Amino acid sequence: MWFSDTNFLILFLCHITDGIGDITFRIKQNVIGNDHGDFALAILPYVKLPTSKYDEESCLEGGLIVPMSYKLPGKWKLGLQVEVDKLKDLDQPEMHTEFLQTFTISHPLSKGIDWIAETYYTYNFKAHELSNFINAVIQMEVVKDFKLDIGINYGIQDTAAKHYFIGAFYRH
């Protein structure tokens, strides 16, 4: 997880079976810590633009993410995150509020390539529904300050989504 004073991230999400999805714009502002030290905390507001040709029901969504990172011995990293989102309901053209909390551990596989394991849950306040997920991600730094990642997001409950993803982001 990158923490510097400000990061501008553009995520292009691609669902392997559906084609290119919506575009998400994020801007991250460091609050505590930075590229130096063992602990960092940031705020990260985001907005998702409905640009997908494959999802006619896609709409403008957004939220606020508060990521935290802690360096452990042996190049291990621990990540925690809380998030509040305003998202479109899946079954109707209305919006709902959702809470998300993550726990992540990562370690370099080699220079410029990291693996990340994550577990998280979401809570939909409107539906009063809890969903649990497990993620696995490989992240590669292509050039300085530009990374690509690919992974799987696996919902544990039958009602939780399961999908593959590809992402790209740039640190400025």
Side-chain angles (χ1 to χ4, degrees):
M1 182 178 300
W2 270 329
F3 280 93
S4 68
D5 290 333
T6 304
N7 291 336
F8 180 68
L9 306 165
I10 301 174
L11 302 175
F12 298 95
L13 299 178
C14 179
H15 299 275
I16 303 300
T17 58
D18 298 333
I20 295 184
D22 297 328
I23 295 175
T24 302
F25 290 95
R26 298 177 175 189
I27 189 160
K28 184 189 296 182
Q29 178 62 51
N30 185 56
V31 177
I32 298 170
N34 205 331
D35 287 333
H36 310 290
D38 290 338
F39 179 75
L41 179 135
I43 56 171
L44 196 151
Y46 79 93
V47 63
K48 182 194 72 141
L49 303 177
T51 57
S52 174
K53 294 184 214 176
Y54 303 97
D55 185 2
E56 294 91 22
E57 296 188 22
S58 182
C59 71
L60 183 68
E61 297 176 329
L64 178 66
I65 303 167
V66 180
M68 295 161 262
S69 178
Y70 187 74
K71 291 181 187 174
L72 299 170
K75 297 186 180 181
W76 289 91
K77 292 182 185 172
L78 174 67
L80 302 165
Q81 177 175 297
V82 293
E83 179 176 340
V84 176
D85 305 300
K86 194 68 171 178
L87 304 173
K88 182 188 173 300
D89 292 347
L90 295 176
D91 59 348
Q92 54 191 326
E94 295 179 15
M95 305 290 283
H96 68 276
T97 301
E98 198 163 284
F99 178 78
L100 177 142
Q101 185 175 8
T102 70
F103 175 81
T104 305
I105 191 150
S106 65
H107 192 273
L109 290 175
S110 66
K111 183 175 170 76
I113 300 176
D114 293 337
W115 72 266
I116 302 163
E118 177 180 59
T119 182
Y120 74 95
Y121 74 89
T122 61
Y123 183 76
N124 179 328
F125 285 93
K126 186 176 185 181
H128 304 289
E129 184 176 83
L130 183 71
S131 297
N132 296 294
F133 298 85
I134 296 173
N135 291 345
V137 179
I138 298 292
Q139 189 174 77
M140 181 175 72
E141 187 168 29
V142 178
V143 294
K144 185 176 178 355
D145 296 329
F146 180 73
K147 290 187 179 186
L148 296 174
D149 61 12
I150 186 168
I152 184 170
N153 178 279
Y154 186 82
I156 296 171
Q157 290 88 357
D158 290 338
T159 58
K162 298 163 181 62
H163 63 270
Y164 301 98
F165 61 88
I166 297 172
F169 49 98
Y170 171 73
R171 177 172 82 163
H172 175 70

